[in-house]
Amino acid sequence: MADLSVTLAGVTLKNPIIPASGTFGYGREFADAYDLDLLGSFSWKGTTRDPRPGNLQPRIAETAAGMLNAVGLQNPGLEAVLREEVPNIARIFHGPVIANVCGFSLEEYAENCRALEEAEPVKILEVNISCPNVHAGGRNFGSDPHSAAAVTRAVRAATKKPVFMKLSPNVTDIAEIARACEAEGADGLCLINTLLGMRIDLNTKRPLLQNRTGGLSGPAVFPVALRMVWDVYEAVKLPLIGCGGVSSAEDAAEMMLAGAAAVEVGAANLRDPWACKTIIEDLPAVCERLGVEKLSDLTGGAHHG
């Protein structure tokens, strides 16, 4: 049987499969579907300091080979998560948890990371820099290397836990952003977040989403995510979590060959609650087909061919 374990900045996962933030809540709903301890980890819902109701409906729209979402970081706020969700997570999942941290200012990012320092199940902080900077006209922190570097610097000073910066694909050169995060002490990177897109309702002649635009995810984005993981693997020396359109064990292997040390599965969970379980169960056969005894040996393998 192949060894499926992988390591992310000193944190060992029994396998590389991680449900992506925003598609798995805080684990409650999926714990009724299967034993979450099958997972390598899971990334909880993007969490802000204050509770957020999210954007107005409609905020989900289907599209060919994917979906658009403009949920707007709906979450109960960090205090409620620490009080209610963290103890519950400790009951339903016994592996390392990834906390997705959001913020609208450098101070909020740092404050949230500091507050998670004592949360025992949380072993990695995944910092979402696709949030708008309220002090810079609402531009996303991840949209330029200077602001991405500033967030990295702020959170790195606020915590001893490994920090993985989650990169936005809505940029000209994602490798440049990656290098900026590496230079300020990031322990790893997660990519990609969703691609900006929209749909228009022909009946109303208005955008389908109340927010007009939303994030595109699902199989449609997989080739873009794969290319960006490849580019960033060539640019930095950090472990990468590959994310974007992964729907099968074969997709996960492809993402690892491009340079990912672990793989997040997002929209597939919304279509099939057992998607991650199926992918994990299929990984040994993929290892056998590819002739590897250690799954981690795939990481970056396509760069050496």
Side-chain angles (χ1 to χ4, degrees):
M1 195 68 136
D3 176 1
L4 301 183
S5 66
V6 300
T7 303
L8 292 173
V11 178
T12 300
L13 280 53
K14 64 170 67 173
N15 63 66
I17 304 304
I18 304 165
S21 175
T23 66
F24 211 75
Y26 296 94
R28 287 176 182 267
E29 301 85 351
F30 288 84
D32 294 334
Y34 61 89
D35 180 2
L36 298 193
D37 285 340
L38 291 172
L39 300 168
S41 177
F42 80 86
S43 180
W44 76 29
K45 190 169 181 43
T47 301
T48 50
R49 179 180 56 208
D50 303 317
R52 284 178 60 85
N55 291 329
L56 296 174
Q57 303 278 6
R59 54 192 193 180
I60 301 281
E62 288 191 56
T63 187
M67 61 176 278
L68 291 166
N69 96 82
V71 171
L73 297 175
Q74 178 184 342
N75 76 95
L78 189 56
E79 188 181 320
V81 168
L82 289 169
R83 185 179 63 247
E84 296 163 24
E85 300 297 348
V86 169
N88 186 60
I89 288 168
R91 285 190 290 272
I92 61 177
F93 180 65
H94 303 96
V97 175
I98 298 174
N100 186 282
V101 181
C102 303
F104 298 99
S105 66
L106 295 178
E107 295 72 25
E108 185 181 349
Y109 275 112
E111 187 182 321
N112 291 346
C113 288
R114 205 172 291 117
L116 287 163
E117 193 69 10
E118 302 305 316
E120 180 53 34
V122 174
K123 303 301 184 191
I124 291 173
L125 303 180
E126 180 181 87
V127 181
N128 176 4
I129 52 175
S130 295
C131 303
N133 180 355
V134 294
H135 301 302
R139 284 186 66 197
N140 285 353
F141 283 98
S143 63
D144 78 82
H146 301 294
S147 55
V151 180
T152 309
R153 192 161 52 244
V155 298
R156 179 68 287 161
T159 182
K160 294 185 177 67
K161 294 189 177 187
V163 167
F164 278 60
M165 307 303 289
K166 187 166 187 179
L167 305 185
S168 169
N170 302 305
V171 296
T172 306
D173 183 358
I174 197 168
E176 182 185 24
I177 313 280
R179 283 190 290 266
C181 294
E182 181 180 44
E184 293 297 340
D187 298 285
L189 302 169
C190 176
L191 64 152
I192 58 174
N193 211 321
T194 55
L195 286 155
L196 207 53
M198 72 181 296
R199 295 297 307 273
I200 292 174
D201 186 331
L202 291 181
N203 295 317
T204 64
K205 302 182 183 65
R206 299 287 305 148
L208 270 172
L209 296 172
Q210 181 72 30
N211 202 56
R212 292 199 309 280
T213 62
L216 175 66
S217 60
V221 310
F222 180 70
V224 178
L226 195 71
R227 189 269 297 173
M228 289 190 166
V229 167
W230 176 284
D231 288 351
V232 169
Y233 181 83
E234 299 254 306
V236 300
K237 302 226 172 344
L238 299 176
L240 309 180
I241 301 174
C243 181
V246 174
S247 306
S248 67
E250 288 78 8
D251 289 348
E254 235 186 292
M255 195 65 94
M256 293 179 75
L257 284 166
V263 176
E264 289 190 2
V265 178
N269 293 310
L270 305 178
R271 192 180 68 244
D272 172 12
W274 294 275
C276 286
K277 178 177 184 288
T278 303
I279 290 170
I280 292 163
E281 289 168 349
D282 289 348
L283 280 173
V286 171
C287 286
E288 188 175 347
R289 176 179 154 197
L290 297 177
V292 292
E293 292 181 6
K294 275 181 68 68
L295 186 59
S296 59
D297 289 345
L298 289 182
T299 296
H303 293 258
H304 315 304

